[in-house]
């Protein structure tokens, strides 16, 4: 049995009510729910929330909200692995024979069902604890620098200043869309970014974190093009 867990707490600070705010005509969380359904791989799709309004909207979108998340897993310090571990334990307590659990972030409007399906295929084909989508950085992070208090700059990797960009290692970052994991990994709180995890590479143009208002505006600007392109290509 495979289940999806969509964590969606109500206390988003940087973008108030982010998980249910209207994005291109529907609540933000609807995009994640629709992608989970289109993937065709889940026996159950759950939403883990502490918020009654989010619960009602999620139920109206045809998914399950069988519990309200406890307060200690709903504050700014609650981690993803803890939240998904809690939902995983709940599922096991119902005697569900789960073999894989997919965390799907609620604010992921460009998530695609086919990517979710491919992630599961990779997880089941290998000895991985987690599989999640990643993308490469648009600029070499090894040439990055910070601005100092006096206004000057300092490189994070000064020994690489003379290294050509094409000779630097390729660095990847998490796309913040979904994470497939084995139940034991979630329950044990195994670190996601480690050698037991496999990155499913996505093109940069299909990736956009939405953590603050600037991210939201950027996502809205590119959403119409991406969503229209997906429809033309029949991408789920």
């Amino acid at each position: 049995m495979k289940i999806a867990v969509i964590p969606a707490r109500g206390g988003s600070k940087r973008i108030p009510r982010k998980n249910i705010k209207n994005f291109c005509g529907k609540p933000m969380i609807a995009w994640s729910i629709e992608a989970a359904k289109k993937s065709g791989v889940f026996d159950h799709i759950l939403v883990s929330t502490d918020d009654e309004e989010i619960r009602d909207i999620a139920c109206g979108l045809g998914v399950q909200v069988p519990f309200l998340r406890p307060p200690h897993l709903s504050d700014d310090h609650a981690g993803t692995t803890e939240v998904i571990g809690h939902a995983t334990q709940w599922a096991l307590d119902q005697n569900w024979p789960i073999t894989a659990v997919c965390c799907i972030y609620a604010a992921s409007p460009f998530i695609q069902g086919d990517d979710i399906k491919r992630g599961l295929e990779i997880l089941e084909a290998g000895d991985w604890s987690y599989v999640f989508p990643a993308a490469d950085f648009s600029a070499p992070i090894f040439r990055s620098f910070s601005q100092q208090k006096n206004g000057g700059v300092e490189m994070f990797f000064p020994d690489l200043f003379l290294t050509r960009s094409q000779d630097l290692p390729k660095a990847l970052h998490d796309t913040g869309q979904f994470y497939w994991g084995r139940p034991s990994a979630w329950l044990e709180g195994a670190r996601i970014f480690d050698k037991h995890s496999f990155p499913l590479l996505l093109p940069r143009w299909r990736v956009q974190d939405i953590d603050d208002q600037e991210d939201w505006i950027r996502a809205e600007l590119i959403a119409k093009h991406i969503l229209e392109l997906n429809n033309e290509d029949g991408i789920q």
Side-chain angles (χ1 to χ4, degrees), residues 57-76:
I57 289 174
C59 289
L61 292 168
V63 296
Q64 299 170 259
V65 189
F67 55 81
L68 285 179
R69 197 192 307 172
H72 74 280
L73 292 178
S74 303
D75 60 23
D76 293 338

Side-chain angles (χ1 to χ4, degrees), residues 161-180:
F161 175 72
L162 297 178
T163 303
R164 299 185 308 166
S165 295
Q166 58 265 42
D167 295 330
L168 293 169
K170 177 181 285 190
L172 305 175
H173 65 88
D174 167 29
T175 68
Q177 293 182 353
F178 66 86
Y179 311 84
W180 275 107

Side-chain angles (χ1 to χ4, degrees), residues 101-105 131-132 174 176-181 186 192-193:
V101 179
C102 187
C103 166
I104 300 178
Y105 280 163
V131 174
F132 62 93
D174 167 29
Q177 293 182 353
F178 66 86
Y179 311 84
W180 275 107
W186 292 119
I192 295 177
F193 305 143

